[in-house]
């Protein structure tokens, strides 16, 4: 079976720890539930991701070197 998360076109996905999450939520002045959602069944999620975790996705960008986005894992 192929591990989709290891494909070269799939951006880096990391589970945020509580300290980094608090920094992100304060920076954007939002709650965790205000973040866009990603399904737990998404094959690109890291193995340790559970419902309620926040994922940091680092994508390559043409206008900036990297674009960082955040998603809340849902059922």
């Amino acid at each position: 079976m192929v591990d989709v998360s290891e494909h070269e076109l799939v951006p880096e996905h990391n589970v945020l720890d509580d300290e980094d999450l608090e920094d992100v939520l304060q920076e954007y002045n939002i709650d965790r539930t205000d973040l866009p959602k990603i399904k737990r069944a998404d094959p690109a999620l890291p193995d340790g991701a559970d419902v309620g975790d926040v994922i940091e996705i680092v994508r390559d960008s043409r206008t900036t070197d990297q674009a960082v986005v955040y998603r809340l894992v849902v059922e």
Side-chain angles (χ1 to χ4, degrees), residues 29-72:
N29 193 27
I30 59 173
D31 292 324
R32 177 188 297 239
T33 56
D34 295 330
L35 291 167
K37 312 301 187 270
I38 187 169
K39 293 222 180 217
R40 173 62 190 107
D42 192 303
L45 283 180
D47 290 333
D50 291 321
V51 173
D53 286 344
V54 174
I55 305 298
E56 175 185 60
I57 303 170
V58 181
R59 297 181 175 130
D60 291 333
S61 172
R62 285 187 272 169
T63 56
T64 64
D65 186 34
Q66 294 181 332
V68 179
V69 296
Y70 302 95
R71 300 286 184 263
L72 175 64

